[in-house]
Each structure stands twice: as structure tokens, then as C-alpha cells.
Amino acid sequence: MIPAQYNAKDVEQKWYSYWMKNDYFTSKPDHRKPYTIVIPPPNVTGILHMGHMLNNTIQDVLIRRARLKGFNACWVPGTDHASIATEAKVVAKLKSEGIDKKDLSREEFLKHAWDWTEEYGGTILEQLKKLGCSCDWSRTKFTMDSDMTASVIHSFVDLYNKGLIYRGFRMVNWDPQAKTTLSDEEVIYEERNGKLYYVNYKIEGSDQWVTIATTRPETILGDTAICIHPEDERYQHLKGKKAIVPICNRSIPIIFDDYVDLEFGTGCLKVTPAHDVNDKELGERHHLDIIDIFNEDATLNQFGLHYAGKDRFEVREAIAVELESIGALVKTENYLNKVGTSERTKAVIEPRLSDQWFLRMDMLVKPAIKAVLETEDVKLYPSRFNNTYRHWLENIRDWNISRQLWWGQQIPAYYFGPGNEDFVVAATPSDALELAKNKSGNFNLTAADLRQDDDVLDTWFSAWLWPITVFGGILDPKNEDYNYYYPTNDLVTGPDILFFWVARMIIAGYEYTDAKPFSNVYLTGLVRDKLGRKMSKSLGNSPDPLDLIDRFGADGVRVGLLLSGSAGNDILFDEELCQQGKAFANKIWNAFRLIKGWEVADCAQPEASKTAIAWYEAKLQQTLIEVEASFEKYRISDALMAIYKLFWDDFCSWYLEMIKPGYQQPIDRLTFTKTIAILESNLKLLHPFMPFLTEEIWQHIQERSSDDALIIAEWPKTAAYDAHLVTDFEFATEVISGIRTIRKEKNIPFKDPIDLKIVNNENASPFFDAIIAKLGNVVSIAYVSDKVDGALSYRVKSNEYFIPITGAIDVAAEIEKLTAELDYMKGFLKSVQAKLSNEKFVAGAPEKVIEMERKKEADALAKIATIVHSLDGLK
């Protein structure tokens, strides 16, 4: 029995279990051509959000279509260890239990981190199953798996040995909340309202002052110079002089350098080499002292004097008060400033000098630039992101790859001296010991004499190898999986990580495999609410994806997301679109029930059914070609919309009406069989978008073995078709609509048959006359040369259609009604034309208003012509 209602909950659980049981998602190398996607690995302890929903829906559409098209489809799932985010969560958990990370050894902390990961990790992958994602779960990878870690370490050692990784003392981006460095790309700049403080510095040995302007008065305690432009005539008398830093009363030199902007502030610049990258360069040029006033959490250290231990922002307020109290604060002004913030923690970044590990990028980046911007071996969709890609890669800086964390791959550098000057880089401690013995000449060294670097590698340093390492390509480049599945085909991700991840994977691909890691990159937009706002918990506009699935069904949510927008454009998500997806599912279900409810008999096939089948098969081919073209351009939403219209409009609204048997009459077997075949083709097209519903209907059509499941059926093949059938039918639908309009307006019941006479000025094909007759309940269609008197009429293009009046219509009353309507429309037209002939109105009204009035004029003229035509037919 086919249920009266489609129950998404029961269906989804049933078919996902069936697919898993029969290993449809599992892929192994064979004779077929592979189609491979690697999932952008979400944070291991993350939970599903709307961005994941969109991204993974698109990936599942691509992988299911590839499976139907006969490819060996392999979608590799996995999760990322997310050093900063995961460590922060573990630290917070420990803190809630009264445990401070500082009181733990590295091994003790990592045990807590692994316990946390095992307890909460992988939840998001289970949630993706609810969405219908057909990943090869047997291939699930985690970036901290032993083989993945070994690959990362191997990569580091290899790049170090090539001279591409080095250790340097640099100004870095410091996240005081996560207590680690960040790469330049992990810093988000935000405009914030702040203040510009004007502070007097006394000239040593005189009563003179020099005034500087700063947005960060707390850093004056780290000042080691005042800098002035050498051509600034206001301050030439200060050459060779020194200034006194307020509060700490330290004597500092006044230096001259053309770095200073003559127009900014007072033209005098305070120089704090420890806390500003430009100041550091000035300090190096002028051999200035470096005074670091901050602790790692951005509280002030001993150089902060009586402010030691206080937060930098607290000190900013307090030091302004103190400066004012000693007469050093001249004034403050409101100031709009760009402030760097951590992409992960949102903390304000602190520039900090530190020993870090860097990867040289100038040479590595060249093949990646060529692949996207010259040869197009890798294509970005939409292509407008090529400009963003070009800007980032042509302005690339060396990558700071070290992080001051414990959760992650520990840097394989081993120190064997008292400081950090003597070290070796090796994949294992035993290898390191041998290298250290040779480098030092001390063959009495033992493992106990080595100290591994405390830092871990940037999470992106493991992620950039992802398409290679999931197939074991770093450690064993000759293995079967790697050589079969790599390079992969498509990558679906967000433009926000185009540089963080996508570009770096392309760089790694060419460095390690001399090949692209994928051919196409589909960049999704950001999911926003229907008002265009970014989704956030604070705004309360971020729906729970699992709740949406519970309410609308997974298929409904998938359709809703894909109807919301196209590649690269932000998605304006509205739950109403999920409701539309659910309604679509119900429409399809009811259409299927209608078909299966018909009695089938061995009787003659009506001409209307034969015509309908010929038309729909042509329309199906036209749509299939449109769908294929949309997929080639990665316009996934357009592909869905074409299928949506085919199913809802062409199949349900037209085709089924054309072939539907009369009341309590059977359908002929030939038409029924063809209709089932057509339905199956529709289901194949729709399956990648709505996998659960389509599999349910497919299995209800007839009893099938596991070898005949829809998920592994064959995608419809394109074939030649008669395009005239499609265009001619569009003309026929207008003819049918005209009949229906007259029946409605003149209250002619559908059960009452009518005659139709046609002046065929368009030379329209009579092919669809049987359809027109059936859907209009027309008993006779005659082609005539002149208009028919005493008939209701309408036009389709230049063709004229006449429906002779029967006794049911009062001709005199109809003429009176049409005449009154004509008089009204003439009056309406006169008023509109009066406006448009008024020069003042036309000159002063907005363009949209004028356009609206002109449209009213055109509509009125068309209506008048129709009424006149109808009156002529009645007289």
C-alpha cells in the first residue's frame, strides 16, 4: 500500500540505513573513471550550522549525480583538529573544573584534549548523515590521525631540508586570548571608534615640549625614540636632542626618518619597536632599544611600572588620566581606526616580537598563480574570485607556521644546546639524535640531551595537504588509492578560505605531486537571513539545522537552501523556501499516487495521450540539456530550478492532465507504461537534490533488488529531439488558457462541450489539436478563413479563435456588459494620457512612476482592442 501522506522522518531513516547496509557510498579503485571530492573538514568538535548545510548539500548533489552518471564516486569525509578552537574549549573545560593549563604537563593536557575530542568529536559527521550526505564513511579521516600527522611531519622536514622553512625573530600577530601567533590571513581588520591622544614629551635639558599623537597611550612605556621627518622645518632645531618619556621619565633620542607622515597628527611619531611592525623597522635602521611591555595575555609586565598585571585596555584609560594629572595630555579627539582582530577568538591582535617558524612562499606560489590565472588548469566558480586570488598570491608573504599551543602536530625541531640556537629537524627523535651528534660533533649526546620545540604547526599546515594525505600520497606516493583518486575533481568551499586553504592546497599540490589537487572550485556564498544579516546567536536568526530537517524533511531543506541563491552570492535564507521544498515533495508524492491509482486496461491509446508523450519526451530532453549546461557552469541552483519547473509545471500541471483517463475510466497500458518510464526519468534527474523522496517512490513503483536501487541507477542520456514540439506546445497552452478564461468569465461549465473555430494566420501546427480538444472539452475544431459572427473570441498572437455562442449566453446582455467595460477603459486611458502629456508631471516625476504610467497606457490600449474585437464578434 502506498501511504496517503509522505512521511519524511520514516523514509529518511529507512533509506539511509538501506544505502549504508548495501555499501552504495563505498568506493574502491576499479575499471571505472573516478569522480572524487574531499570534504572541507569541519572542526572536530563543531556542530552543524547553515553554512555546513549549504556546502554539503552541494557536494552531495555533485557526488550523487556522478554516481548516476557511472563514475566511481568517492566523497572523502573527515574532521580538522582546529588547534586554536579546540584548545580553547579544552582550557575552558579544565578551568570550570578548577584546573589551570599551566599546572599540567604537555602529556597531561593532551590526554584531556584527546578525551574531549573522543567525547564530542565526530558529532557533526553524524549530523551530516541526517542531511543525506553520501560520503564514503569507511574513509573518514582526522587531521590528527597517526598517518596524517606523520605526513605533516614528513612535509615539514622535507621543506626544511629544501631550505624553505626557517626560524626567525619577527614581528608577529599575537592573539592574547589564545596565547599564540596568527598568520596575516587570520587577522580580520575592523573599523572601530577610538581616540587620538595628544601627549607632550619634554625636551631634555630645556623647557620645550614636543607633542605626539597616538591611539595607544599605554605603549608610551615602551617608547625608545621620537621620530620626525627630515624635511619638517618645524623641528629642525631638535636634531641631536633627546626627549623624556612621561611617567617613566626615560631619556630617548629624537631621530629623523622620511617614514614619518608630515600630515598626520603633529608630525612627530613615538617609536615603540616592540609593539609595531613599522616601528620595528625604524628601530633596526636607527639601532634603537627594544622594550616589550606586555605579557602573553596582553597585561603589562614589569616595564609597565605600577600598571604591571593590568590589562592593556584598562591601562589605556588609567594612563590617560595620569597623563592629564601631570599636565602631559594636551587633548583627545575621536578617531576611526582599523583594528586587527583574531579570526578565531575575536581578540584584538597585539604585534609582538617572537622567534617563530616561517615557510618561504615566493617560489612555492608561482605554479599556483599559473594554474589558476594563466593555464586555467584549476577553475574558480564564479570566475570573479580570480581577482581576489591574484591579489593575495601576488602579494604573499612568508607564512608563519608555528603556534604557541599544545594541541596539534608538534614541530619536529630538536634543540641540543643551552638556548635555541643549536637545533636539528628530523621526523623522529632517533633521527634527530643522529643528526645532532653529527652537527655538534658530540657523539656522547643522548636522547635526554634533546629538547623538542614546544610549538605546534598551524592547523592550515595540515589542511593544505588534505587532498593528498587522505589517500596516503605523502608517505606512499605509489599506493593504489592515491594514484587512482588523485587529483580530485571538484572542491566546494567558501570564499572566506580561498587563501587560507584553497590556494595553499594548490601550492602543496604542485610542490608535492607536480599536479593540481582538483580541477574546479565551487565557491558558495555566506548564508544570511532574509533581511541580509549575517546569522548569529546574538541576533537569534540562526536556525537549528536539525530542527529544520525535523520540520520540513531533509529533502525540503536541501531544496530550500539551493533555491536561496547561486554560486559565490550570499544566500538569503528564508524558512519559507524550506516550506516550498516540502510542498514540492508533497506535490511529487501526490502525482505518483495519482498515477498508481489508475486502473490499467488493454485498450486503444487516445490520440491526446500519444501527443502528450511525444511532447513530454521532447521537453524532458530540452530540460536535460539545460540541466547539463548548468552543471557544467556549476550553476547548481539553476539546474534544480529547471528540474523543479519540469516536474511541477510540465509533468504535474500539463502532462498528467493530458493523459488522465475519464472519470472511472481505465488508462491504456501503453500510455501507463510510458508514463512510468517518464516518471523514472524525472526521479533520476531529481535524485541528487531530493534523494530520500525519489528513492521511496522508485522503490514503490515496482519491487526491486539492491542492484536496481535509484542511487545507482543510470542518469538519463541526452538525445536528439524535435524542438518544434516544445515551441508548438507553448503556443497550444495559450490557446487552452484562452478557452479556460472564456469559460470562467462567461460561466460556461467545463462539462458543457464547445466548438472552436480558428483563423490560422500563424499557420500553427494542428499537432496539439487533440490536446486542445481534451483540455478545453472542445467537440470540434474547424479552421476557417474569416471571423465568425455571433461568437466569443480571443487572440493568440495573430491567430483568431471563435467559440460560437449557444443558448446559454444572453448576447444582448453580453454586448451591454462589454460596452460598459469599454467606456470605463476609454475613460481610464484618457486620464493616464493626460498625465503623460503634462510636461510638468513628466519633468518632475521619478522615472519609475513614469514607467508605471506608460505601462498603464499600454495595458489599457491592449484591453480596449480585446473588448472591441469581442464586440465585433457578437454583432
Side-chain angles (χ1 to χ4, degrees):
M1 292 294 293
I2 301 170
Q5 302 292 327
Y6 175 68
N7 187 324
K9 288 181 185 178
D10 293 345
V11 166
E12 288 163 12
Q13 180 59 47
K14 176 176 68 176
W15 291 117
Y16 204 89
S17 297
Y18 178 80
W19 294 328
M20 290 285 286
K21 177 185 173 184
N22 287 283
D23 286 333
Y24 295 128
F25 306 160
T26 303
S27 175
K28 293 177 182 176
D30 61 21
H31 64 281
R32 292 173 296 168
K33 187 176 181 179
Y35 174 84
T36 315
I37 293 179
V38 292
I39 199 172
N43 289 0
V44 65
T45 58
I47 57 172
L48 204 61
H49 59 60
M50 296 306 292
H52 293 133
M53 293 278 280
L54 172 66
N55 184 289
N56 287 283
T57 293
I58 293 168
Q59 288 177 83
D60 196 49
V61 167
L62 293 173
I63 209 79
R64 286 180 181 272
R65 174 173 173 267
R67 200 177 282 123
L68 289 169
K69 288 177 79 72
F71 290 95
N72 188 349
C74 179
W75 182 11
V76 181
T79 51
D80 186 270
H81 64 277
S83 292
I84 295 176
T86 304
E87 183 149 328
K89 287 180 179 179
V90 175
V91 168
K93 175 181 178 290
L94 291 172
K95 188 176 181 180
S96 70
E97 297 170 357
I99 302 172
D100 193 317
K101 177 189 171 185
K102 290 185 291 186
D103 297 330
L104 298 175
S105 68
R106 187 185 198 106
E107 290 68 28
E108 288 170 336
F109 177 81
L110 288 177
K111 185 180 184 307
H112 285 287
W114 277 109
D115 288 345
W116 171 272
T117 301
E118 286 165 11
E119 182 176 356
Y120 297 102
T123 299
I124 192 167
L125 298 184
E126 291 303 312
Q127 292 174 327
L128 288 177
K129 293 176 182 178
K130 299 285 187 185
L131 186 61
C133 293
S134 55
C135 304
D136 183 349
W137 299 109
S138 68
R139 292 182 176 273
T140 302
K141 301 298 288 186
F142 175 43
T143 52
M144 286 279 281
D145 286 343
S146 58
D147 62 320
M148 302 292 277
T149 292
S151 297
V152 172
I153 298 304
H154 177 95
S155 171
F156 183 97
V157 174
D158 174 66
L159 292 169
Y160 176 80
N161 290 336
K162 290 174 179 174
L164 295 173
I165 286 179
Y166 64 94
R167 186 170 172 79
F169 187 66
R170 297 280 189 86
M171 182 70 71
V172 297
N173 306 299
W174 183 259
D175 181 336
Q177 184 171 322
K179 298 183 180 65
T180 183
T181 57
L182 302 177
S183 66
D184 292 336
E185 295 74 32
E186 291 170 295
V187 178
I188 308 300
Y189 287 91
E190 301 175 356
E191 285 195 339
R192 294 190 179 182
N193 291 313
K195 291 185 181 299
L196 193 59
Y197 300 81
Y198 289 80
V199 182
N200 277 343
Y201 287 57
K202 189 175 182 181
I203 304 302
E204 188 177 54
S206 78
D207 292 331
Q208 293 180 305
W209 302 84
V210 65
T211 305
I212 62 93
T214 179
T215 58
R216 303 193 63 196
E218 69 277 13
T219 63
I220 67 173
L221 300 176
D223 289 354
T224 57
I226 297 289
C227 190
I228 297 169
H229 196 284
E231 296 177 5
D232 196 330
E233 295 181 359
R234 294 172 293 177
Y235 304 110
Q236 294 299 313
H237 64 289
L238 297 180
K239 285 185 177 179
K241 302 283 187 179
K242 292 190 174 183
I244 304 298
V245 180
I247 300 176
C248 68
N249 296 316
R250 183 169 56 250
S251 175
I252 59 173
I254 297 175
I255 61 174
F256 286 78
D257 194 292
D258 59 11
Y259 166 74
V260 178
D261 183 355
L262 285 164
E263 304 299 322
F264 179 76
T266 63
C268 298
L269 177 75
K270 65 188 284 297
V271 184
T272 319
H275 301 296
D276 183 274
V277 65
N278 296 311
D279 288 9
K280 177 180 178 289
E281 291 178 8
L282 277 172
E284 289 173 349
R285 282 202 296 274
H286 296 273
H287 309 291
L288 301 177
D289 292 336
I290 296 174
I291 301 174
D292 186 348
I293 66 168
F294 290 122
N295 296 312
E296 64 176 10
D297 61 354
T299 58
L300 273 69
N301 59 24
Q302 72 275 16
F303 291 110
L305 305 177
H306 46 288
Y307 295 111
K310 294 184 178 179
D311 181 75
R312 55 187 165 160
F313 297 121
E314 180 186 351
V315 174
R316 183 175 299 177
E317 300 295 327
I319 208 167
V321 172
E322 183 174 359
L323 288 168
E324 187 172 26
S325 71
I326 62 175
L329 184 64
V330 179
K331 62 177 179 177
T332 61
E333 294 176 348
N334 291 329
Y335 187 72
L336 187 63
N337 197 19
K338 276 197 171 182
V339 178
T341 61
S342 168
E343 189 239 355
R344 290 289 186 189
T345 67
K346 312 306 178 189
V348 174
I349 293 302
E350 194 62 55
R352 192 180 194 201
L353 285 167
S354 176
D355 278 314
Q356 300 292 334
W357 292 91
F358 295 88
L359 175 60
R360 300 183 198 279
M361 301 300 292
D362 54 348
M363 297 304 294
L364 283 174
V365 77
K366 289 182 179 180
I369 292 174
K370 183 179 179 181
V372 173
L373 304 175
E374 296 175 23
T375 63
E376 294 189 347
D377 287 340
V378 178
K379 291 186 174 69
L380 306 184
Y381 294 90
S383 60
R384 70 171 185 271
F385 285 106
N386 283 7
N387 291 331
T388 306
Y389 184 90
R390 179 189 300 278
H391 174 74
W392 277 337
L393 268 62
E394 290 183 349
N395 294 280
I396 201 165
R397 297 170 65 182
D398 287 357
W399 178 7
N400 173 8
I401 57 175
S402 47
R403 298 292 180 269
Q404 288 62 57
L405 302 165
W406 281 349
W407 177 244
Q409 284 97 6
Q410 191 172 357
I411 289 176
Y414 298 82
Y415 302 95
F416 54 85
N420 290 343
E421 299 303 317
D422 298 319
F423 65 86
V424 293
V425 170
T428 65
S430 59
D431 289 347
L433 181 58
E434 290 305 310
L435 287 172
K437 285 178 179 180
N438 291 324
K439 187 172 183 179
S440 68
N442 179 3
F443 292 93
N444 293 320
L445 285 175
T446 66
D449 296 318
L450 300 185
R451 174 176 53 84
Q452 189 172 355
D453 196 302
D454 283 332
D455 291 352
V456 298
L457 286 158
D458 179 8
T459 300
W460 296 110
F461 193 82
S462 58
W464 81 321
L465 302 173
W466 183 251
I468 307 172
T469 53
V470 295
F471 297 116
I474 294 290
L475 299 178
D476 182 13
K478 294 183 178 180
N479 82 75
E480 184 184 21
D481 275 9
Y482 173 67
N483 284 280
Y484 180 76
Y485 292 111
Y486 186 92
T488 67
N489 295 80
D490 296 327
L491 178 76
V492 181
T493 189
D496 54 324
I497 55 174
L498 178 57
F499 181 82
F500 286 135
W501 192 44
V502 179
R504 286 171 175 164
M505 281 191 289
I506 297 171
I507 292 168
Y510 283 101
E511 173 63 17
Y512 282 106
T513 72
D514 198 28
K516 59 188 177 183
F518 31 71
S519 297
N520 306 289
V521 181
Y522 180 106
L523 296 159
T524 66
L526 185 70
V527 182
R528 298 181 179 274
D529 69 12
K530 61 184 178 182
L531 301 177
R533 300 175 302 176
K534 189 173 180 179
M535 289 186 171
S536 69
K537 289 180 182 177
S538 59
L539 287 175
N541 64 346
S542 183
D544 176 357
L546 296 184
D547 176 61
L548 291 176
I549 290 173
D550 187 61
R551 290 159 54 204
F552 302 111
D555 290 335
V557 175
R558 289 165 68 114
V559 168
L561 277 165
L562 291 174
L563 290 179
S564 300
S566 57
N569 297 318
D570 283 353
I571 309 301
L572 299 184
F573 178 74
D574 186 347
E575 284 189 14
E576 283 300 312
L577 291 169
C578 293
Q579 181 59 50
Q580 184 178 340
K582 182 179 181 179
F584 185 40
N586 288 334
K587 179 81 170 179
I588 296 166
W589 182 255
N590 290 332
F592 166 63
R593 289 184 64 247
L594 174 69
I595 295 167
K596 290 294 280 186
W598 289 333
E599 180 188 347
V600 184
D602 291 313
C603 52
Q605 183 183 47
E607 188 64 28
S609 296
K610 183 179 178 181
T611 302
I613 291 166
W615 161 72
Y616 193 84
E617 287 178 339
K619 182 64 181 178
L620 178 66
Q621 279 299 319
Q622 182 195 57
T623 303
L624 178 58
I625 291 168
E626 181 184 344
V627 167
E628 297 284 31
S630 293
F631 269 109
E632 284 179 12
K633 297 172 186 174
Y634 290 83
R635 302 186 68 87
I636 312 300
S637 296
D638 291 353
L640 171 60
M641 184 52 70
I643 298 167
Y644 182 99
K645 290 178 178 176
L646 176 76
F647 222 127
W648 190 295
D649 298 337
D650 300 309
F651 185 71
C652 296
S653 299
W654 286 109
Y655 177 77
L656 293 182
E657 290 300 312
M658 293 184 216
I659 65 161
K660 186 168 66 176
Y663 181 65
Q664 292 187 339
Q665 297 296 310
I667 188 170
D668 68 281
R669 191 171 301 281
L670 180 58
T671 299
F672 181 80
T673 302
K674 281 283 190 180
T675 300
I676 290 296
I678 285 171
L679 174 62
E680 288 181 337
S681 293
N682 289 348
L683 293 175
K684 290 173 184 178
L685 287 180
L686 191 58
H687 176 75
F689 302 93
M690 304 180 79
F692 295 110
L693 168 75
T694 52
E695 188 73 74
E696 173 76 356
I697 294 175
W698 180 268
Q699 299 284 352
H700 267 299
I701 289 173
Q702 66 182 61
E703 189 174 333
R704 303 183 194 263
S705 71
S706 59
D707 292 334
D708 295 321
L710 176 56
I711 189 174
I712 54 169
E714 186 178 352
W715 183 259
K717 286 185 167 58
T718 55
Y721 71 97
D722 187 349
H724 292 297
L725 282 177
V726 177
T727 53
D728 288 352
F729 179 71
E730 289 171 1
F731 191 92
T733 61
E734 292 187 55
V735 176
I736 294 164
S737 295
I739 295 170
R740 288 172 173 173
T741 298
I742 284 181
R743 280 188 177 278
K744 182 179 178 182
E745 289 180 352
K746 310 310 176 189
N747 294 317
I748 303 173
F750 182 79
K751 64 181 178 64
D752 293 348
I754 59 172
D755 296 317
L756 183 66
K757 300 184 184 298
I758 305 169
V759 177
N760 194 10
N761 297 319
E762 288 285 330
N763 197 28
S765 168
F767 185 79
F768 289 99
D769 283 0
I771 301 293
I772 294 169
K774 179 173 183 177
L775 298 186
N777 194 11
V778 177
V779 290
S780 70
I781 296 177
Y783 288 84
V784 296
S785 55
D786 294 312
K787 73 172 190 174
V788 178
D789 293 332
L792 301 168
S793 64
Y794 65 95
R795 288 176 182 267
V796 176
K797 293 185 179 178
S798 64
N799 267 18
E800 297 180 84
Y801 295 85
F802 299 92
I803 299 173
I805 295 172
T806 63
I809 296 177
D810 186 332
V811 175
E814 187 65 24
I815 291 173
E816 184 180 350
K817 176 185 171 186
L818 288 172
T819 302
E821 190 175 350
L822 179 63
D823 291 341
Y824 170 79
M825 288 308 301
K826 284 181 176 178
F828 176 75
L829 176 64
K830 187 176 180 181
S831 68
V832 172
Q833 289 177 330
K835 274 188 185 180
L836 291 172
S837 62
N838 185 325
E839 292 181 5
K840 286 186 178 180
F841 171 77
V842 173
E847 185 61 34
K848 283 187 177 180
V849 173
I850 295 171
E851 283 180 17
M852 193 179 299
E853 293 300 318
R854 285 178 178 148
K855 185 176 185 306
K856 288 180 184 177
E857 180 186 34
D859 290 346
L861 286 168
K863 183 69 175 174
I864 287 169
T866 300
I867 296 170
V868 169
H869 184 72
S870 295
L871 282 169
D872 288 345
L874 293 172
K875 292 176 182 176

